[in-house]
Amino acid sequence: MTSSRPRRSGAQVLIDQLRIHGTDTIFGVPGESYLAALDALYAQRNSIRYVICRQEGGAANMAEAYGKLTGKPGICFVTRGPGATNASIGLHTGFQDSTPMILLVGQVAREATDREAFQEIDYRRMFGQLAKWVVQIEDARRIPELVSQAFHRSLNGRPGPVVVALPEDMLVDEVEVADAGPYKIARGAPAPDDMAKLRELLDQARRPMVIVGGGGWSAEACADIRTFVEANDLPVCASFRNQDLFDNRHPNYVGDLGVGVGPALGKRLKACDLIVAVAEELGRVYQATLPINSGMANFAAAAKAMKPVDGKRWKAETAAGHAEYLDNIKPGPLPGAVNMGEIIAWLNKRLPDDAIVTNGAGNYAAFLHRFFQYRGFKTQLAPTSGAMGYGVPAAVAAKIAEPNRMVVSLAGDGCFLMNGQEFATAVQHGANIVITVVDNGMYGTIRMHQEREYPTRVHGTELKNPDFAAYARAFGGHGETVEKTEDYAAAFERAVAAAKPAIIHVKTDPEALTSRITLSKLREQALAKHH
Ligand SMILES: Cc1ncc(C[n+]2csc(CCOP(=O)(O)OP(=O)(O)O)c2C)c(N)n1
Ligand SMILES: [Mg+2]
C-alpha cells in the first residue's frame, strides 16, 4: 500500500495539530529540548505568534491569562527541568481558576528516560496535582490523537491545565500520520425537571441570592443570567475575582464575596434562605438542595427561559443590597498623601467600559476589587489562586490578545517584582500596558497578618524598593512617580499618551494598610487582644 500522506517530523505534526485546534499564540521561553518544535514554529510564524518571555513563570501566567480571556486553551511552551519548574505557578493558577491551558514541555530523549538524565523530571508525578492530565508522547504517530485529547481534557467539564511532555528525539522522528480534526466540546445541560424544581425553590424563597463564579462562561451566558436576574428581581453577587460576570453598575448587583467582603454584604448573605450558586463542582464542599449538572451557558439559557416567579417580595431587598454596595464603594479618608480608594474611583470613571484590568495578590488588590466597578465579561484578569506576580504577565497577554482595548494593571511593590521582568516582554512585543505599582515598602498583606497575630514583632515583611519609574525607562518604557492623589490623573494620561508600556510608581503610606483599618489601629487591637 502506498500512502499519500506527507512525511513530517513529530514537531511539524505537533504544530500542525495546534493550528488545527485554533492556536494563534504561544507563550514560552526556548530550550534546546524543543529546537525541532521551534523550527516548525518558524515555518508557521505567519499563523502562530510565538511570544518569547523572560521567565517561564511569566510565560505560564500569560498562557493562563490568555486562556481565561479567550476561553481557548492558552498555550505555553517551555523546556524540561528548570523551565518546567518555573512554569508550575501558572498551572496552579489555571487549576484553581478553572482556566483552559496546555503546557508543552520539551523532554529528555526517550533512551535517557529514568536515568536522571540532564534536567529530567517525570512530569506525571511532578504535575499530578497541578494539572487535569499529564501525558508524555512516546510515539510521534500518536501526536494527533494525544494533542486532541489534551484540548478536550483541558476544556471538558471544569476547564483546567493539561501538560504534554515531548521527548526531543520523538520531535525529530519522521512519520506519516493523518491530522485529527478540530476539537468539539459538548456541554451538559439541565435535566428536564431541574428548572421546574429550581423555580419551585425560588417561588418558596423569601430572601434569595444569586452567586456567579467559576470558569466556562461566555458573554452570551452572562447576558442570559442578567435576563434571568432582571425577570425575577434577584440580587446578584460575584465570587472572589469573578467580578466581571455581572455588570457591577446594574441595579441588581450587590457586591463581591472577596477576601475583604463588605460587612453589609456579609450580613445580607447570612440572612438568605436560598442561594442560587452558578459555579462549578457540585457537592464538593456544600451540599446543595438541588444540584444541577450543566455547562454555564446551558444553565444560563435555561434560567433565561424559565417562567419568572413573583420577585416583588424581595425587590426592595435587592434595591437595598445595591444601595449598600454603592455606599461601600465610596472612598473614605486614608492616612498619607495618596488615597488609593480615590485613585481607583478615578480610574473607575476614566477607563473605557471594555478596558481589561489585571492584578496579582496583595492588600493593594483589595482596593481595586472594592472600589472598581467591573462592567463586562472578561474585563477582569485576576488569580483566584492568590498568586503574586500575576498582574504584569496577565496584562501583557491581554494586550497581545486584544490590542485595541486599554489594558491596565495594578501591582504591589512585592507583587510587581515577582514578574516585573515581563515588562521587557511588553516592550519587545509592543504591548502598551499601563501598570500602577502601589509601593508601601512592605509585603503589606503579610505584615497585616503578622501584626494581628504577633503585634510589633515585624520580621521578614519590609521591602527596600527600586525606583520603579526609572526601571520602566531602563526597559524602554515610560515611567511616572506619584506621591499625591491629585497627581495621579495627569500621570496616567501621560502614561497612556506615551504609547509605550508604562509604569506609574505610586508611593503610599504603610499606615494605609487596608481601606478599612490603619496599621496602628490593627496593632492596637491586636495588643489589646493578646494581653
Ligand atoms: C507567589 C506568592 N508568594 C507569596 C504569597 C504570600 N503573600 C500574599 S500577599 C503577599 C504580600 C504582597 O505584597 P505587595 O505586593 O507589596 O502588596 P501589599 O500587600 O503590600 O499591598 C505575600 C507575600 C503569595 N500569595 N503568592
Ligand atoms: Mg506592598
Side-chain angles (χ1 to χ4, degrees):
M1 249 179 71
T2 55
S3 166
S4 58
R5 288 180 202 133
R7 281 182 82 75
R8 291 176 290 175
S9 69
Q12 286 169 326
V13 178
L14 172 75
I15 303 307
D16 285 348
Q17 292 312 295
L18 293 179
R19 234 173 11 95
I20 288 168
H21 292 301
T23 299
D24 53 19
T25 307
I26 297 177
F27 301 92
V29 175
E32 71 274 28
S33 60
Y34 70 93
L35 284 178
L38 276 178
D39 192 64
L41 278 171
Y42 176 80
Q44 296 287 351
R45 63 193 181 282
N46 293 327
S47 43
I48 298 183
R49 178 167 44 187
Y50 178 58
V51 179
I52 323 139
C53 305
R54 302 307 175 106
Q55 216 266 27
E56 291 85 353
N61 275 323
M62 285 186 211
E64 199 279 347
Y66 201 84
K68 206 176 245 168
L69 185 65
T70 63
K72 301 190 298 184
I75 312 289
C76 182
F77 214 143
V78 301
T79 196
R80 57 205 174 196
T85 45
N86 269 346
S88 60
I89 189 165
L91 286 183
H92 179 250
T93 294
F95 202 93
Q96 294 225 305
D97 289 34
S98 311
T99 304
M101 66 184 289
I102 297 174
L103 177 69
L104 305 169
V105 185
Q107 173 63 304
V108 301
R110 286 163 292 186
E111 55 161 19
T113 304
D114 287 328
R115 290 177 168 169
E116 205 201 335
F118 179 62
Q119 303 182 332
E120 182 184 3
I121 295 177
D122 176 347
Y123 300 105
R124 294 186 191 86
R125 282 191 288 151
M126 176 186 172
F127 289 131
Q129 211 190 339
L130 292 183
K132 288 180 76 179
W133 188 53
V134 184
V135 66
Q136 180 158 314
I137 305 183
E138 305 284 354
D139 179 345
R141 287 169 303 183
R142 293 190 63 192
I143 292 173
E145 169 207 341
L146 294 171
V147 169
S148 169
Q149 194 175 156
F151 274 86
H152 283 94
R153 289 216 194 207
S154 173
L155 283 158
N156 267 327
R158 179 181 164 184
V162 163
V163 178
V164 181
L166 304 157
E168 64 172 286
D169 57 329
M170 185 279 295
L171 288 175
V172 295
D173 274 354
E174 297 266 326
V175 292
E176 288 172 24
V177 63
D179 288 321
Y183 66 79
K184 299 190 189 89
I185 299 304
R187 297 261 174 237
D193 59 347
D194 279 347
M195 298 313 284
K197 285 189 199 143
L198 174 63
R199 188 176 185 283
E200 211 172 288
L201 287 174
L202 257 184
D203 203 33
Q204 289 157 8
R206 317 218 133 256
R207 292 284 301 264
M209 173 84 79
V210 174
I211 304 175
V212 288
W217 288 84
S218 63
E220 196 186 350
C222 290
D224 286 353
I225 282 291
R226 180 178 170 144
T227 309
F228 162 71
V229 157
E230 284 168 351
N232 294 281
D233 287 319
L234 292 162
V236 184
C237 52
S239 71
F240 181 48
R241 294 186 172 159
N242 281 299
Q243 290 161 272
D244 61 349
L245 293 176
F246 197 86
D247 190 338
N248 299 181
R249 300 165 304 182
H250 191 281
N252 291 46
Y253 184 73
V254 300
D256 75 298
L257 302 173
V259 175
V261 59
L265 179 57
K267 248 170 78 187
R268 188 161 282 284
L269 198 71
K270 286 209 181 88
C272 281
D273 61 355
L274 176 69
I275 290 178
V276 182
V278 194
E280 65 260 316
E281 297 227 305
L282 305 169
R284 175 172 252 194
V285 178
Y286 299 102
Q287 295 191 339
T289 309
L290 171 65
I292 299 177
N293 186 8
S294 171
M296 296 299 186
N298 289 336
F299 174 78
K304 177 185 174 180
M306 192 190 90
K307 182 170 170 268
V309 300
D310 178 11
K312 276 197 213 79
R313 289 164 288 168
W314 50 70
K315 199 180 164 86
E317 286 298 335
T318 301
H322 185 65
E324 282 168 7
Y325 161 72
L326 290 178
D327 224 41
N328 188 51
I329 64 168
K330 286 194 193 113
L334 286 175
V338 166
N339 184 318
M340 272 319 293
E342 282 173 18
I343 286 179
I344 302 297
W346 181 82
L347 280 171
N348 194 40
K349 288 197 214 110
R350 169 63 180 85
L351 297 192
D353 280 3
D354 69 345
I356 299 170
V357 185
T358 79
N359 63 270
N363 273 8
Y364 73 89
F367 285 91
L368 175 65
H369 298 334
R370 176 171 174 189
F371 297 110
F372 191 77
Q373 296 183 287
Y374 297 88
R375 295 101 203 243
F377 181 60
K378 292 307 157 207
T379 53
Q380 178 178 36
L381 291 174
T384 61
S385 67
M388 289 170 72
Y390 180 80
V392 172
V396 176
K399 191 68 186 178
I400 286 171
E402 298 276 1
N404 298 322
R405 289 167 69 178
M406 185 182 276
V407 179
V408 170
S409 183
L410 226 72
D413 45 338
C415 197
F416 176 81
L417 278 180
M418 284 211 181
N419 269 318
Q421 79 282 345
E422 300 308 334
F423 194 71
T425 307
V427 171
Q428 183 162 344
H429 296 276
N432 295 342
I433 56 180
V434 179
I435 303 167
T436 297
V437 177
V438 185
D439 176 4
N440 56 5
M442 59 180 180
Y443 286 130
T445 309
I446 312 307
R447 173 78 180 271
M448 172 177 76
H449 293 299
Q450 188 167 57
E451 292 279 3
R452 192 191 295 122
E453 304 302 328
Y454 305 97
T456 74
R457 295 174 65 83
V458 180
H459 200 55
T461 49
E462 287 162 309
L463 296 173
K464 179 168 167 42
N465 284 315
D467 175 343
F468 291 105
Y471 180 107
R473 289 190 287 269
F475 278 64
H478 178 86
E480 292 278 345
T481 307
V482 169
E483 298 188 65
K484 294 200 289 279
T485 308
E486 54 272 31
D487 294 341
Y488 183 83
F492 182 87
E493 297 304 352
R494 283 192 298 270
V496 172
K500 305 175 181 179
I503 294 174
I504 307 174
H505 182 176
V506 177
K507 297 186 177 174
T508 63
D509 188 330
E511 262 301 302
L513 186 63
T514 76
S515 60
R516 299 187 202 280
I517 196 164
T518 64
L519 189 55
S520 340
K521 184 81 193 159
L522 179 83
R523 177 182 272 187
E524 201 179 292
Q525 284 179 1
L527 284 171
K529 198 179 97 193
H530 289 269
H531 286 150

